[in-house]
Amino acid sequence: MALEDICGFKNSPLHRKLSPASCFEDTATFLHMNDNSGTLLNFFMPSFLSSAAFTCRSLAKPSLTVRRPFNLSHGTTTLGFIFQGGVIAAADTRASAGGLVACPFVHKISPIHSHLVVTSSGSGADCMLWERILRREIRLYQLRHSRCLSICGTAKLLSFMLHPFKGTDVCVALTLCGWDKELIYVCSDGARLQGDIFSVGSGSPYAYGILDGSLRWSLSNEEAISLAREAVFRATHRDAYSGNHVDLFHITAQGWKRIFNCKLLEDLIHQILW
């Protein structure tokens, strides 16, 4: 594994002891090691099946795909745009499964590191899994090279990892919003698009209608935040699969800042109607 390479564990005697050549080699024995002071340390290692045997068995008998008894429609509203004050990422908080509101308080914007967040749309389980994988890979890159991977490099890495799943049931659409003012959309077929404005999900046509009419490069921070709130609110008003509250992040050179308030929609409704 990658962490083994970083720590130098792969070529150590302990690694060879824990990775027997035979698939069913018995390793239930005491492992003797000496610490720096010369004290003898004894570790009891239980028997286990090596990963090679497990991999061979998995390839020999591929698992069957279980079909759902009925299709569950998914919906969401996420958006991101660039302006002179940084990058704005916003999303609703409703997780839907067909006509069911599965959860009204879901975080569809996830921080990856101090200057990068991703908005997610698609299957909730798939999105959470790939966000964890991406966060792990970025952390390993930082450990290897003592610096963070660029936003473009992160998008390319994610695209390469997702491309083998093209044509499968994996449903992931992530928008990378980071500094230095980068906005890149990556989906589960490996497509990678870069732009100044993206909205993804079933409510995106309604959000685009608000953004296209009011988005300007010269927006102030307050105007940009208000525009993102209104775009998500309008989408949740028309799209049955989006709703509840607005989750919003502002990314600048100092890092990301979360702007979240459970009363955002109520305040906005009062502002528009009165």
Side-chain angles (χ1 to χ4, degrees):
M1 295 178 64
L3 192 57
E4 294 177 350
D5 297 336
I6 294 174
C7 300
F9 179 70
K10 195 169 185 179
N11 298 322
S12 65
L14 178 59
H15 182 271
R16 290 192 293 269
K17 182 68 178 178
L18 299 180
S19 302
S22 173
C23 293
F24 295 92
E25 182 177 337
D26 187 7
T27 58
T29 182
F30 281 96
L31 181 64
H32 305 284
M33 298 180 63
N34 292 326
D35 64 1
N36 295 331
S37 63
T39 304
L40 183 64
L41 304 177
N42 296 323
F43 298 93
F44 179 76
M45 307 304 298
S47 302
F48 65 93
L49 181 63
S50 71
S51 59
F54 178 79
T55 305
C56 293
R57 290 191 303 172
S58 300
L59 294 177
K61 295 182 179 180
S63 59
L64 298 178
T65 302
V66 179
R67 295 294 179 182
R68 304 184 185 95
F70 54 89
N71 293 324
L72 288 178
S73 300
H74 301 280
T76 188
T77 300
T78 67
L79 62 88
F81 61 83
I82 301 174
F83 71 110
Q84 59 86 20
V87 182
I88 292 291
D92 71 305
T93 61
R94 174 178 294 177
S96 57
L100 172 69
V101 178
C103 181
F105 300 106
V106 172
H107 300 306
K108 300 181 183 179
I109 306 178
S110 302
I112 301 299
H113 59 70
S114 61
H115 289 74
L116 173 64
V117 302
V118 297
T119 68
S120 59
S121 58
S123 171
D126 291 339
C127 289
M128 286 187 285
L129 171 64
W130 282 101
E131 286 169 2
R132 291 178 60 188
I133 293 174
L134 182 62
R135 193 177 293 112
R136 179 198 65 193
E137 294 299 324
I138 295 302
R139 180 57 178 158
L140 288 174
Y141 182 92
Q142 187 177 11
L143 290 172
R144 290 191 184 103
H145 304 283
S146 300
R147 61 184 177 87
C148 284
L149 184 63
S150 66
I151 308 303
C152 290
T154 302
K156 183 179 292 187
L157 172 65
L158 180 61
S159 175
F160 286 164
M161 291 191 298
L162 284 172
H163 187 267
F165 297 91
K166 181 178 181 179
T168 66
D169 291 335
V170 174
C171 183
V172 177
L174 303 179
T175 304
L176 281 67
C177 310
W179 192 263
D180 181 29
K181 295 183 180 179
E182 299 277 353
L183 197 66
I184 305 176
Y185 167 78
V186 181
C187 66
S188 50
D189 62 358
R192 187 173 80 253
L193 304 173
Q194 185 169 359
D196 295 331
I197 174 175
F198 283 107
S199 183
V200 185
S202 56
S204 60
Y206 314 107
Y208 270 127
I210 301 299
L211 295 175
D212 289 340
S214 303
L215 181 60
R216 304 185 313 276
W217 173 260
S218 59
L219 289 175
S220 65
N221 291 348
E222 293 75 15
E223 290 173 335
I225 292 171
S226 178
L227 176 61
R229 288 171 55 190
E230 183 177 357
V232 175
F233 166 71
R234 297 292 188 182
T236 58
H237 182 66
R238 292 293 182 183
D239 178 38
Y241 299 108
S242 305
N244 294 96
H245 306 298
V246 178
D247 205 359
L248 195 146
F249 280 71
H250 183 201
I251 305 97
T252 64
Q254 288 72 41
W256 56 263
K257 178 182 179 182
R258 188 182 183 193
I259 305 169
F260 179 79
N261 189 331
C262 292
K263 296 183 179 180
L264 279 177
L265 288 187
E266 289 82 352
D267 295 343
L268 189 57
I269 292 171
H270 185 272
Q271 175 183 342
I272 293 174
L273 294 181
W274 302 99

